[in-house]
Amino acid sequence: MTMSVPERKSGSEGKEEESEDESEILEESPCGRWQKRKEQVSQGNVPGVESASLAMDTEEGVEVVWNEVLFLDKKVFKAQEEKIKEMFENLMQVEHPNIVKFHKYWLDMKESQARVIFITEYMSSGSLKQFLKKTKKNHKTMNVKAWKRWCTQILSALSYLHSCDPPIIHGNLTCDTIFIQHNGLIKIGSVWHRLFVNVFPDASVHSKARQHRDEQRNLHFFAPEYGAGEDGYAIDIFSFGICALEMAVLEIQANGDSAVSKEAIVNAGQSLEDPLMREFTQSCLHHDSKLRPTAHDLLFHRVLFEVHSLKLLAAHCLINNQYLLPENCVEEKTKSFDPNAVMAEIKHEDRQGVQLKYSHVSPLELDKFLEDVKNGIYPLMNFASTRPHPVPRALSLSQEQVETVKTPTPEPQETETRKVVQMHCNLESNEEGTKTHLSLFLKMDDKLHRQLSCDILPTDTSKDLASELVHYAFINEEDSEKVAGFLENAIKQHRVRALASGSTQ
C-alpha cells in the first residue's frame, strides 16, 4: 500500500504567495491610473477614513495610498456633497516639499451607500515614532545635526500652513503623523485632519476611529487649550515642541498605558544638555498660548543654525536656475579650481585675517549638499516673505462658516506639476540664410524629457515663436515663463550673430 504525503511549501514560497495575494488588484480608479491593492497601510489616524490601502500609480510607477470615506446614508451624503467637493478641491492646492501630497479624489455612488475616495502620497519609510523606537532599541542617541534638520523641515511646513490666508491649522501633529524618508526628508501627514472633523459629522460617517486625542498615549501632544472655541496656530507650536523634545530624548516615558504626565515632560526637557535646545523646546510648551513663538520665528532660533544663510541662498538660486546651466557644471567648475587659491578673505584691523581656500570645500560634500537642497532637506523659509499664500477660505473655516459658503465648485481637473530641470536650444541656418531650424530639448524631473523643433523665418518675431513653442510643450505655468524668456533670448542672440556674419536671418 502506498500513501501520498501532501507537499509542504517552503518558507520562501509561502512568503511569495502571501506577497502576491497582497499585491492583488481589488479596484481601479475611473481613469485607470490608480489601482487599489489588498495591503492595508497606516498613514496617521484621520476621522472618517474607513480604510487606507496601498495602491499603484500606473502613470508615475510609484506606490500611493488609497483612502476611503464611507457614507451609509445617501441622503446625508447628498446634503454634504457640495461641501465635500469644495474641501477636496482646496486640499489639492496645498503644495509643499515637507507636506504629504494630496493627489486626487473622486466620488463613488452606489444604491445603498456612497464613498469618497482620495489618493495621497505613500511614505514607505514609516513614521518618526517608528524611527525613534528603532534608534532607542539599538542603544543609540539622536544625532544633533539630524535633529536640527528635522525641526527645520517641520517648521517649514507649519510656517507654510500658518501663513496661508486664512491660516491652516494642522491640529493633529504627533510623531505618528510625521514621516521620514530614507534620504532624511521629513513630511507631515494628516494635514486634512482638522478639516475632516469640521466637514464630516459623526452621524454621517461610518467609522470607529476618531481623533488621535482619544488615544491615551498621544494626549501629551495636544495643547491645554485644544478643542476650545478660539484655539489657533499656537496649538500646532505646542505639538511641535513635544515632537522636538521626543526627537531629542527618543521617548518621553509614560506610566504603562496611561498618558504621559506633565512631570515626565518637564524631566525630559531638563535632561537636555544643550541650553539652547532646552530653551527652544520650552518656548513652544508655554501654558499660555500667547507666549509661544510662531513657526516663522522659530526658524530663526540660534539652535537651528547649521548652514550659513548666504550658502543656503546661493544653493537655492543654483537649483532654481539649473535649467540655464550646462549639465555637470558644478563638477566641471570645481575641477578647474586651484585648491590653494583664495576664494574669500575676512580682514581684521586688530588681528590676523582669515583666508578661505578652495581646498577647504570638498566637491563631494558640495554635491551632497546641493542634492539635499534639491530634495527639500534644507528649506529656504528664513528668506520667505511674510506675504500670505492664497489658499481658498474653506480650508480653515469652521463647520458653521463652511455652511454659509456657496461658491460654485469646479469639476476636478489635471494640472501639470512636473518641472523643467534643464533646457537646451540649438539654432542652425541654411546656407542661403532664408530659414533657420530650431530644436528645443527640455529635461524634466520625472525623466520623461521633451523635444520640440520647428523652422523659423526672418519675418517671425522671437516673442511669438517662443510663446507658440511653449504652448506645445505642455509644461506648468511657472516653467512656461522661464522657457519662453530663454527661447526669446536665444533667437535674438542667434539673429544678432547672423547679422554680424552677413546673413539675412
Side-chain angles (χ1 to χ4, degrees):
M1 184 176 74
T2 59
M3 187 177 191
S4 61
V5 180
E7 187 178 341
R8 179 172 291 180
K9 293 179 182 177
S10 67
S12 60
E13 285 178 354
K15 285 181 181 178
E16 283 178 14
E17 191 173 300
E18 185 181 339
S19 178
E20 287 177 8
D21 186 47
E22 285 185 342
S23 62
E24 178 189 353
I25 298 170
L26 301 180
E27 193 176 346
E28 200 171 62
S29 64
C31 63
R33 177 175 176 177
W34 290 284
Q35 296 175 337
K36 178 185 175 183
R37 294 179 181 173
K38 194 173 183 179
E39 185 179 350
Q40 296 283 302
V41 294
S42 175
Q43 296 278 284
N45 184 25
V46 179
V49 175
E50 179 68 18
S51 67
S53 306
L54 202 62
M56 176 59 74
D57 181 344
T58 58
E59 277 190 21
E60 300 292 339
V62 296
E63 291 177 318
V64 291
V65 181
W66 176 299
N67 306 270
E68 295 184 11
V69 180
L70 181 64
F71 287 78
L72 295 178
D73 191 334
K74 284 184 70 176
K75 289 182 180 178
V76 175
F77 173 78
K78 280 291 182 185
Q80 302 281 340
E81 187 174 357
E82 290 305 313
K83 202 187 299 182
I84 291 167
K85 283 183 179 178
E86 184 180 22
M87 177 189 74
F88 280 105
E89 282 296 320
N90 293 338
L91 281 172
M92 289 173 67
Q93 296 185 46
V94 176
E95 185 79 39
H96 190 278
N98 301 114
I99 295 176
V100 172
K101 175 68 178 167
F102 188 101
H103 289 295
K104 191 75 174 175
Y105 82 97
W106 64 91
L107 310 180
D108 179 41
M109 304 286 288
K110 293 182 179 178
E111 290 183 8
S112 59
Q113 62 187 27
R115 285 188 306 165
V116 180
I117 300 163
F118 61 99
I119 305 294
T120 55
E121 188 178 1
Y122 176 48
M123 298 289 101
S124 58
S125 300
S127 68
L128 185 60
K129 172 71 79 176
Q130 292 169 331
F131 180 87
L132 296 177
K133 278 187 176 179
K134 287 177 186 176
T135 306
K136 186 178 181 183
K137 189 177 179 181
N138 294 330
H139 305 288
K140 294 182 179 179
T141 56
M142 175 53 63
N143 180 283
V144 177
K145 282 188 176 181
W147 181 85
K148 290 180 180 183
R149 290 174 196 170
W150 292 354
C151 285
T152 303
Q153 291 177 66
I154 298 166
L155 287 170
S156 173
L158 288 179
S159 182
Y160 168 84
L161 293 173
H162 295 169
S163 64
C164 291
D165 185 20
I168 299 172
I169 298 166
H170 188 288
N172 188 32
L173 190 68
T174 71
C175 289
D176 286 309
T177 58
I178 298 172
F179 303 95
I180 179 169
Q181 294 184 336
H182 292 297
N183 62 356
L185 182 67
I186 288 284
K187 293 207 175 200
I188 64 173
S190 193
V191 171
W192 39 86
H193 179 276
R194 190 178 179 92
L195 193 60
F196 275 32
V197 172
N198 288 337
V199 173
F200 294 143
D202 293 344
S204 66
V205 182
H206 176 68
S207 177
K208 295 177 183 177
R210 281 304 291 168
Q211 300 165 314
H212 257 197
R213 188 183 173 96
D214 295 338
E215 298 182 18
Q216 288 291 313
R217 67 189 182 91
N218 280 330
L219 274 172
H220 62 295
F221 284 97
F222 296 90
E225 73 275 14
Y226 185 91
E230 296 183 358
D231 61 0
Y233 65 79
I235 66 168
D236 286 344
I237 301 301
F238 185 93
S239 299
F240 164 75
I242 297 292
C243 291
L245 190 55
E246 284 216 348
M247 286 191 294
V249 300
L250 300 180
E251 184 183 18
I252 303 175
Q253 293 291 337
N255 298 321
D257 295 329
S258 63
V260 173
S261 66
K262 291 181 181 178
E263 185 182 359
I265 294 171
V266 171
N267 291 339
Q270 290 176 347
S271 70
L272 297 176
E273 295 179 4
D274 187 337
L276 285 176
M277 287 176 72
R278 277 202 307 272
E279 190 234 322
F280 179 79
T281 53
Q282 286 171 4
S283 67
C284 301
L285 302 178
H286 275 296
H287 189 275
D288 186 350
S289 61
K290 294 176 182 177
L291 297 177
R292 293 174 210 149
T294 64
H296 187 265
D297 290 341
L298 286 168
L299 281 165
F300 287 95
H301 197 283
R302 286 178 298 166
V303 76
L304 298 183
F305 185 85
E306 183 186 0
V307 180
H308 194 284
S309 302
L310 188 58
K311 180 181 177 181
L312 189 58
L313 184 60
H316 275 270
C317 287
L318 181 67
I319 296 299
N320 293 337
N321 296 285
Q322 202 170 11
Y323 64 93
L324 295 171
L325 304 169
E327 205 165 354
N328 300 326
C329 69
V330 176
E331 184 182 349
E332 294 300 321
K333 196 72 176 172
T334 51
K335 283 180 182 177
S336 65
F337 287 146
D338 176 7
N340 294 317
V342 177
M343 60 179 174
E345 185 176 4
I346 303 172
K347 293 184 178 181
H348 299 288
E349 292 182 1
D350 56 340
R351 62 186 186 277
Q352 188 177 357
V354 180
Q355 288 187 338
L356 301 174
K357 297 182 179 181
Y358 286 105
S359 58
H360 296 162
V361 181
S362 165
L364 289 174
E365 287 181 9
L366 183 59
D367 282 342
K368 176 67 169 65
F369 174 67
L370 288 172
E371 189 65 26
D372 287 344
V373 170
K374 188 176 180 180
N375 290 332
I377 292 172
Y378 293 100
L380 195 62
M381 286 304 297
N382 297 40
F383 296 91
S385 65
T386 55
R387 181 173 55 84
H389 302 284
V391 174
R393 292 176 59 229
L395 268 176
S396 51
L397 294 178
S398 65
Q399 186 177 349
E400 292 76 20
Q401 289 172 311
V402 170
E403 289 172 359
T404 64
V405 176
K406 302 295 181 183
T407 308
T409 306
E411 286 300 313
Q413 56 181 349
E414 291 283 354
T415 54
E416 181 58 78
T417 57
R418 290 170 284 192
K419 297 194 175 187
V420 176
V421 179
Q422 276 187 351
M423 61 180 83
H424 300 283
C425 178
N426 184 49
L427 293 117
E428 292 182 2
S429 299
N430 60 7
E431 291 182 3
E432 296 79 17
T434 56
K435 188 170 63 174
T436 298
H437 185 73
L438 182 149
S439 297
L440 174 66
F441 176 75
L442 300 178
K443 186 176 180 182
M444 311 300 290
D445 62 353
D446 62 350
K447 311 296 183 188
L448 298 174
H449 310 317
R450 294 169 194 174
Q451 188 164 356
L452 300 94
S453 62
C454 70
D455 290 327
I456 60 177
L457 301 172
T459 53
D460 296 327
T461 65
S462 56
K463 188 173 184 180
D464 291 341
L465 282 168
S467 299
E468 188 174 355
L469 271 172
V470 166
H471 172 73
Y472 288 109
F474 298 109
I475 52 181
N476 65 64
E477 191 175 343
E478 183 183 349
D479 283 339
S480 294
E481 293 180 10
K482 292 179 181 178
V483 175
F486 171 74
L487 275 174
E488 196 173 342
N489 286 332
I491 295 168
K492 284 179 179 177
Q493 288 175 15
H494 175 77
R495 285 178 169 168
V496 169
R497 287 194 297 269
L499 286 170
S501 63
S503 172
T504 57
Q505 178 64 4

